[in-house]
Structure formats: structure tokens, C-alpha cells
Amino acid sequence: MVTNLKTLIIQQIKSVFPSAKVYDEPVQQGLQTPAFLVLVISDSQERKLGATSEWEYVVNITYFPSDSRSTYSESDDVSRAFKMNFRYIGNQFHANKLTAEKHDGTLVITFNVKKLVREVFDGTKMRTLQFGGVYSE
């Protein structure tokens, strides 16, 4: 699921920002700007009724502007583009709680994605039920 989510986000970034480089792992050297770094920084599961669970992923995207002299205006443009174009991820997931913060010449965008998952049980279902000496089918 995490790999699929990251792939959809990267495809969407490339369609909205075709000239930007996109990384899915931290880069030690050789970062080409403008660039995005896409990471899924946490995931959690909350049990619901029956065999249903809600999975939640927190996505962190760091944008590295191309020109350090116009970092704030470029970051504002990218933030606006994210708010308009990333309400849904790949027409499969809702992006919730999108925040954008400027830190040390970068723009850090964070949002979460939730998905309802239902467990599928393989095996034989109960054929008869015995309760107090009475059988049902």
C-alpha cells in the first residue's frame, strides 16, 4: 500500500510540475533543483466494527526551490498548486489536513491519507450451529 501510494503521488507531482525532479529516498549529494522529496513518515491502523479497519498514512513532501533568491514566492506558488491539485491522490484517496510550512529555504508539505480496509477470511464457513441441543443449518 505504501509503495502504491508513493507511486501515485509521484505521478501526480510529475504531471503538475513536469520540470521538477522527484526523489523517493533522501539524497546525500547531487540534489538537482527544483525537486520534491516524497516520504511516507508514519502509518497507523484503527479497528472499526466487524472486520473493517481504517489505515492512515502521513505523507511528507519537501520542496527544494530552484532559486534561493525567490524561495518564498516560489514556495507560495507550489503551496497553492498543491492545495488545488492534490485534494485527491490518483482519484483513489482523499488528502486530508494539508499543511505547508517554510523551513530553511524549503517548503514542507504534510497531509494524511485514510483508507478503509476489510479483512477477507479464507476457509470454510460454519455449516451448522448447536445451541442447547438444537441444531440449525
Side-chain angles (χ1 to χ4, degrees):
M1 172 64 193
V2 171
T3 305
N4 182 41
L5 178 61
K6 281 174 69 171
T7 301
L8 290 172
I9 292 169
I10 290 170
Q11 289 172 350
Q12 202 158 329
I13 288 172
K14 287 182 177 181
S15 70
V16 175
F17 305 99
S19 63
K21 183 84 172 143
V22 181
Y23 299 95
D24 64 351
E25 293 290 333
V27 177
Q28 298 298 323
Q29 294 178 338
L31 180 76
Q32 299 174 6
T33 59
F36 291 92
L37 172 61
V38 179
L39 300 171
V40 177
I41 58 172
S42 73
D43 61 277
S44 62
Q45 171 184 316
E46 181 180 340
R47 300 276 301 155
K48 300 290 184 183
L49 289 176
T52 304
S53 297
E54 181 179 71
W55 292 359
E56 182 175 9
Y57 300 91
V58 178
V59 179
N60 180 285
I61 300 173
T62 304
Y63 175 69
F64 302 91
S66 59
D67 186 1
S68 62
R69 295 173 299 203
S70 61
T71 299
Y72 283 97
S73 62
E74 193 174 336
S75 294
D76 289 340
D77 293 341
V78 170
S79 176
R80 188 177 314 105
F82 258 85
K83 289 174 187 158
M84 298 301 293
N85 296 294
F86 287 81
R87 296 182 309 181
Y88 303 99
I89 305 300
N91 292 327
Q92 294 183 26
F93 307 104
H94 293 268
N96 302 307
K97 300 179 188 173
L98 191 142
T99 61
E101 297 179 19
K102 298 171 186 89
H103 291 287
D104 296 327
T106 63
L107 177 68
V108 179
I109 298 167
T110 306
F111 59 89
N112 64 13
V113 173
K114 294 182 181 181
K115 179 179 177 91
L116 285 177
V117 179
R118 182 176 301 256
E119 296 176 37
V120 177
F121 297 103
D122 291 337
T124 306
K125 293 184 178 181
M126 185 182 337
R127 293 189 181 150
T128 61
L129 176 64
Q130 178 183 358
F131 182 73
V134 178
Y135 291 93
S136 66
E137 294 189 30

